[in-house]
Amino acid sequence: MSTDRRVLVHTDRAALAAAAAERFVSTMSELLAERPVVHIVLTGGSVGIDVLAAIAAHPDRDRLDWTRVHAWWGDERWVPTGHPDRNERQAREALLDAVVIPSANIHPFPAPDEGLDLEAAARRYDDELRAAGGGTYPSFAITFLGVGPDGHIASLFPELPGPTVAEPGAIAVHDSPKPPPQRLSLTLPLINSSERVWLVLAGADKAAALGLALAGAAVADVPVAGVLGQRRTLFLVDEAASAEVPAALIAPTSYWTGAMDQPDWAP
């Protein structure tokens, strides 16, 4: 299966969120028509939550059969269930509470009030992932990711062990440079097993990370540089975040970073 990386530049954050929502609803409609179950991975962060809210507001939202959708997370802060900083809570409020999705299809990371330590919580999520995939990891059709100004994705931060973990799975993250210091995250190999990875980022403070990712920076230093989905990798950005992209690569609304000989692009 061929893969490529593409960057789509939108005028501002609102336009980015609306376009991502449109792409999600259209792609999910096609996926649900061709397979019985679709697994997706959600992200937190302000732009990621904006995208989820835009999906909830989409007029065709309820045309999707959410009973056949399974929702996972790329990472989570190690804070109690229901805490406002949990990606899970934010995603529920932005989208999941608004659609008819069975509770059994929502797969949040464990929380510290569930009687587990951080390492045991990572193992339990890994076990849940494998169970859902029938002994291996499920095939993620769409994985959303945010990108930090330092180039981190999920809770894989520069100069920590996480970005260079070689095996797919869920891991415990200690000493995060962003609070809280303890987190849970999917590894880069598991993220990259996704059919499609859609990275959403906005603002001038993300421009350097995007530029370095496209320039092929070391994954240990700029984790987002290592993201590559099995079929498509999309960077959905606003104009401010695209400021450090090489001018020779920019088209009016988008540009390619790979597979330049494949003009018939599909989501």
Side-chain angles (χ1 to χ4, degrees):
M1 180 178 292
S2 65
T3 186
D4 57 65
R5 304 170 84 192
R6 191 186 193 197
V7 179
L8 303 178
V9 182
H10 305 281
T11 54
D12 55 30
R13 180 165 159 170
L16 185 168
E22 180 65 35
R23 183 176 297 274
F24 176 84
V25 172
S26 175
T27 303
M28 287 293 289
S29 179
E30 295 175 3
L31 291 169
L32 287 165
E34 67 186 30
R35 61 187 73 175
V37 174
V38 176
H39 292 268
I40 62 174
V41 179
L42 305 180
T43 186
S46 58
V47 181
I49 297 303
D50 281 356
V51 171
L52 298 187
I55 294 169
H58 194 283
D60 293 332
R61 175 198 76 190
D62 293 332
R63 293 187 180 182
L64 301 179
D65 183 359
W66 291 92
T67 66
R68 295 191 287 119
V69 177
H70 282 256
W72 304 83
W73 274 264
D75 74 320
E76 187 57 272
R77 300 172 178 89
W78 189 238
V79 293
T81 303
H83 192 286
D85 287 345
R86 276 184 69 88
N87 291 334
E88 173 206 356
R89 174 173 169 176
Q90 295 172 20
R92 287 182 184 272
E93 292 175 347
L95 173 61
L96 298 179
D97 288 347
V99 298
V100 182
I101 182 171
S103 60
N105 290 15
I106 300 174
H107 305 275
F109 275 99
D113 54 297
E114 296 179 39
L116 300 170
D117 63 24
L118 192 65
E119 300 291 340
R123 290 193 296 271
R124 192 172 87 178
Y125 204 64
D126 197 82
D127 289 344
E128 185 174 353
L129 283 159
R130 289 177 179 271
T136 186
Y137 297 104
S139 176
F140 301 130
I142 300 172
T143 290
F144 281 108
L145 289 175
V147 180
D150 60 355
H152 83 264
I153 51 165
S155 281
L156 306 178
F157 293 93
E159 301 180 1
L160 291 181
T164 57
V165 172
E167 298 299 324
I171 58 171
V173 176
H174 300 274
D175 301 321
S176 162
K178 290 185 62 178
Q182 293 185 312
R183 295 164 174 249
L184 295 160
S185 183
L186 303 186
T187 64
L188 188 57
L190 185 52
I191 289 168
N192 283 348
S193 74
S194 307
E195 295 175 29
R196 301 161 187 80
V197 181
W198 296 353
L199 300 103
V200 293
L201 56 156
D205 63 332
K206 308 296 178 67
L210 177 58
L212 288 168
L214 299 177
V219 174
D221 299 327
V222 186
V224 64
V227 175
L228 189 65
Q230 294 296 299
R231 177 171 175 171
R232 295 286 182 263
T233 306
L234 290 182
F235 292 83
L236 305 170
V237 311
D238 69 354
E239 289 183 355
S242 70
E244 296 191 22
V245 172
L249 296 177
I250 299 179
T253 59
S254 64
Y255 58 88
W256 290 89
T257 63
M260 294 292 288
D261 59 341
Q262 299 180 20
D264 295 326
W265 179 83

